[in-house]
Amino acid sequence: MARLQMLLILTSFLSIFPSCLLAQNSPQDYLEMHNAARAAVGVKPLLWDSKLESEANMFVSKLSVNCMKVEEKMVPDGYGHNLAINWKPEYFSGADAVASWLSQKRNYNFESNSCIGDDPVSCLTYSQLVSKSATYLGCARGKCQTGGTIVVCFYYPPGKLSQPPY
């Protein structure tokens, strides 16, 4: 009897455990955060795309070996992307990554369609996130073998750097 009770407890735990791991990492979580930011600037919502999600998962798998060596040429052609790597040991969710990209809004000047300050790319993740060009989104999250967590989102079509995002 005790063995059966233990098995039931373990089964119950395992049935809820995976959903705990997915908290703030589900397609709906990514979409809600993206689309709230897009609505705030009058841009239509994104739709989830399973092909983009698959591409993002393959990208994360390639990078998980050595997250230190991220190169632009690794991104599949035809997609916009945002990438976040957190080297700290605490939990880093997809929602945390999206929040970090949104924080770059303070570095964006709409009138000049450029980033404010000395770093010319300090607002590019924000401008991709709210780009009126993008219609579809797919994201993935994984662990780096060298430590840390990586989150990537792909956008299709990609944002156009030559025009304001909204």
Side-chain angles (χ1 to χ4, degrees):
M1 185 69 168
R3 191 174 209 185
L4 180 61
Q5 286 178 325
M6 185 59 110
L7 184 60
L8 287 172
I9 292 170
L10 182 60
T11 303
S12 296
F13 174 75
L14 291 176
S15 69
I16 61 169
F17 184 68
S19 63
C20 295
L21 292 177
L22 293 175
Q24 300 179 326
N25 297 306
S26 74
Q28 193 60 36
D29 294 324
Y30 288 106
L31 279 172
E32 284 177 7
M33 289 191 73
H34 277 79
N35 290 336
R38 293 168 69 85
V41 294
V43 177
K44 66 182 182 308
L46 294 168
L47 301 171
W48 191 260
D49 185 272
S50 58
K51 181 181 179 212
L52 287 175
E53 178 184 19
S54 177
E55 291 279 355
N57 273 307
M58 286 189 294
F59 184 79
V60 166
S61 291
K62 280 189 231 175
L63 285 181
S64 67
V65 175
N66 187 351
C67 291
M68 300 283 287
K69 296 194 177 207
V70 177
E71 298 176 25
E72 285 296 314
K73 66 183 177 190
M74 297 172 83
V75 177
D77 287 338
Y79 300 139
H81 74 285
N82 280 338
L83 175 93
I85 300 175
N86 181 22
W87 297 108
K88 298 175 185 167
E90 70 263 8
Y91 182 77
F92 186 69
S93 69
D96 294 329
V98 176
S100 73
W101 302 329
L102 286 172
S103 74
Q104 287 191 356
K105 181 177 184 175
R106 68 180 176 269
N107 301 330
Y108 180 70
N109 181 312
F110 183 79
E111 286 77 29
S112 66
N113 186 35
S114 63
C115 299
I116 300 166
D118 298 332
D119 186 358
V121 296
S122 64
C123 68
L124 294 183
T125 58
Y126 168 73
S127 63
Q128 176 61 69
L129 194 148
V130 296
S131 173
K132 64 185 172 192
S133 300
T135 306
Y136 297 100
L137 173 70
C139 303
R141 178 182 167 277
K143 292 287 184 186
C144 300
Q145 289 179 9
T146 53
T149 305
I150 182 169
V151 177
V152 66
C153 288
F154 286 155
Y155 305 83
Y156 182 82
K160 296 179 176 120
L161 296 177
S162 60
Q163 59 184 252
Y166 45 87

